[in-house]
Structure formats: structure tokens, C-alpha cells
Amino acid sequence: ACDSRERAFLWRDGRMIDLGKERDAHQSSAVAINNHGHVLVQLFGPAAPPQLWAGGRLNDLGAAVAGTGWKLVSVYDLNDAGQVLALARNESSGAFLPVRLDPA
């Protein structure tokens, strides 16, 4: 059996940065990068919400919808203004909705 693990990495200042290590994800995938070097990261593992790597650390994008009854399922794109295109799922109805997250 093959037990492959995929990890997202970013090459910065002559070294590789593991974009999933900080949150101890089983797997991670780099989804998009903008011209400022910010990276959207989809983590795979228990309770692993999508992340935005910026300023040398991962930031939990799920916090942007916390307490609304919605949960971020996945992320798709990131622009230079920091806006994120994501997919959210309603925790009570199960409905899906595309959302745009704006920088704070």
C-alpha cells in the first residue's frame, strides 16, 4: 500500500518553508499565491481549517466566519488586496455558499 503525504512548501530566502507543519496537518496543499508572497493553504487533518500564510506564519481563515453558523470548507483564490475566495458550509442545513473574505 502506498501511504503518500503531500505537503505545501514555499521557497523563501534560500530555504524551503513547510506551510503545513505549524498546524500539524497530515497533508497540505498550496492553493494560490499573490504578488505579496501570501499563500492560501488547504490543510488536511482533524479540525484543519484553511489558512493564509503571511508574515511568516499561518493564520486561521476559519476565524473569519466563527460564530456565524458557517464553516469554511475550502479556499480557491487570493488577490493582491488580500481578498480570499472560499466555500463555506452551513452547519445546520448543510447548504454550501461561495464567500469572499476581506482582509481585516
Side-chain angles (χ1 to χ4, degrees), residues 5-80:
R5 302 281 188 210
E6 296 178 12
R7 296 299 286 254
F9 284 88
L10 177 67
W11 183 261
R12 167 101 11 121
D13 298 325
R15 66 184 181 96
M16 291 178 70
I17 300 168
D18 184 342
L19 298 179
K21 184 176 181 181
E22 185 175 324
R23 297 286 190 262
D24 196 29
H26 297 194
Q27 291 182 253
S28 59
S29 176
V31 177
I33 186 169
N34 68 14
N35 286 320
H36 302 293
H38 302 157
V39 183
L40 274 181
V41 180
Q42 184 73 52
L43 300 179
F44 303 96
Q51 305 284 315
L52 176 65
W53 189 88
R57 65 185 183 93
L58 288 173
N59 301 285
D60 180 354
L61 290 173
V65 296
T68 65
W70 293 86
K71 180 179 179 180
L72 289 185
V73 176
S74 56
V75 288
Y76 295 98
D77 208 356
L78 167 72
N79 65 21
D80 288 339

